[in-house]
Amino acid sequence: MPFFDDSLLDDPTALAAADGMLRRLAQAGARIRIEAEQAAAALSAVVELPRPRAVIAAGSEARLIRSMLEPSCPVPFLAWPRHGLPGWVGALDLVVVLATDGADANLVATAREAIRRGSQLIIACPQPSVIAERVSGRDAIMLPTKTGDTLAAAVIVLAALHRMQLGPIVDAEAVAGAFDRVAEDCSPYVDVAENPAKDLALGLAETQPLVWGGSVLASRASRRVAETLRAASGRAALAADAGELVPVLASVTRKDLFDDPFENPQPSERRPALVILDDGTGDQLTNSWQNRLREVADAADVRVCPIYCTSGGDLDRYAGLLQTGLFGAVYLAVGLGRSIWQD
C-alpha cells in the first residue's frame, strides 16, 4: 500500500508534478466567465420562450440542474439519462441538452428527437460541432460553449432557465467568485496549517473515505467528491445517505489503545474516515442525521473531516464544497506519490 508522506504537501517538486490538475481547478472561475461571455447574446433570446409544460434535461450535469430546479421549478422536471426522449414529450415541453463535447451520439439523437416532436430546445454546445450542425437552421436556441467544462456550461444553462422563470437566480459572476475564493484558500502556496484542502488530504491519508452531504446539492457534491477521491487514491470511497452510512460506521471496531503505530505503520485494513459536506441549509431532519453520524463516528473512534461552505447562493455553496473536495483529492494523490491520476 502506498505510504502517505505529508511533507510532500508543501514540497515544490511534488506539487509541480500536480500542476496541471491544480491549475485546472484554479481556473474554474475563469471558465465560467468565458462561458457567460460566449452565451450573453443567446441568453437574451430565452426570455421570449413560453413557459413549457415540463422540462427534460439530458447530458452532463443534468442531475445538478435537477438538484437546483426541483425545489422551486413551477413545472415538472426530469433528468433523462438515455438517448431519445420519454414517450409523453411533445410540442409543449422544453428539452435542454448539455453537450460540451458537441459530438456525443446519444445527445445528438436526443436533440433530433426533440426537433421531430416540435419541442422547445436549448442546446449548450461548442460551435461549430456535430450537434450544432445536425440541428442547424432548426427552431432551437444555442448556448455556445468554448471551454469544454461541463460545470461551467451547467451554470449558463441554469442562468437561462432562471430567465425563463423556471429556476432560482443564478449569478455566473458570483459562482465564478466562489470558485476563485476556494482556489485562493486551497492554493499549493498556502501551507498545510491554513489550507483546508491539504488538511482534508491529511485527514484521509491512510483511511477509507465515507462521504456525506445533507442537502440535495451537498449530496450531489458528495458523489462527485467520492468519485474523485477514488481516482486520486486508488481506494474505495463511498458516498451515500446517512441511513446507509450509520450501520457502516457502527460496525467499525474502536482502535486498540495499546496498538503501537511504529510497529505497524501500515495496518492490513484501513479504517474509515467520515467526510461531511455542510452548506448550512440543513433542516431539522438533516441536522439530526448529521448529529447521528457524528455520534456513531465518535463511538467508533472514526475521524470526522468536515467541509463547510455556508455563505452565498445555493450554487455558490455547492461550488465551495465541491471544489474544496476536489483540491483535497489532488493533495491526497500528491501525498501518496500517485502520478498516474494526473495524466
Side-chain angles (χ1 to χ4, degrees), residues 209 223-239 329 332 338 341:
R223 283 157 174 76
R224 289 283 308 278
V225 170
E227 175 185 303
T228 311
L229 289 172
R230 287 194 293 270
S233 65
R235 308 170 188 165
L238 173 66
L332 180 61
R338 285 175 57 88
W341 184 63

Side-chain angles (χ1 to χ4, degrees), residues 90-213:
L92 299 177
D93 304 305
L94 170 64
V95 177
V96 178
V97 177
L98 295 95
T100 49
D101 72 350
D104 185 287
N106 288 336
L107 296 179
V108 172
T110 298
R112 289 176 65 85
E113 182 67 12
I115 291 293
R116 188 184 71 80
R117 299 192 193 184
S119 303
Q120 300 174 36
L121 181 61
I122 295 176
I123 305 177
C125 66
Q127 293 188 343
S129 63
V130 172
I131 193 168
E133 292 170 1
R134 295 290 178 87
V135 296
S136 178
R138 307 282 186 168
D139 187 19
I141 291 179
M142 297 287 181
L143 299 178
T145 63
K146 186 176 183 179
T147 67
D149 187 322
T150 57
L151 182 53
V155 172
I156 304 309
V157 168
L158 285 165
L161 293 173
H162 166 66
R163 294 193 179 202
M164 295 179 66
Q165 300 182 7
L166 296 173
I169 294 174
V170 173
D171 183 340
E173 178 57 37
V175 179
F179 277 107
D180 290 345
R181 286 190 293 276
V182 175
E184 292 174 4
D185 293 342
C186 301
S187 165
Y189 303 108
V190 178
D191 65 29
V192 172
E194 299 177 348
N195 190 316
K198 290 182 180 180
D199 184 62
L200 175 64
L202 282 173
L204 300 179
E206 302 297 339
T207 69
Q208 210 80 38
L210 303 175
V211 192
W212 177 78

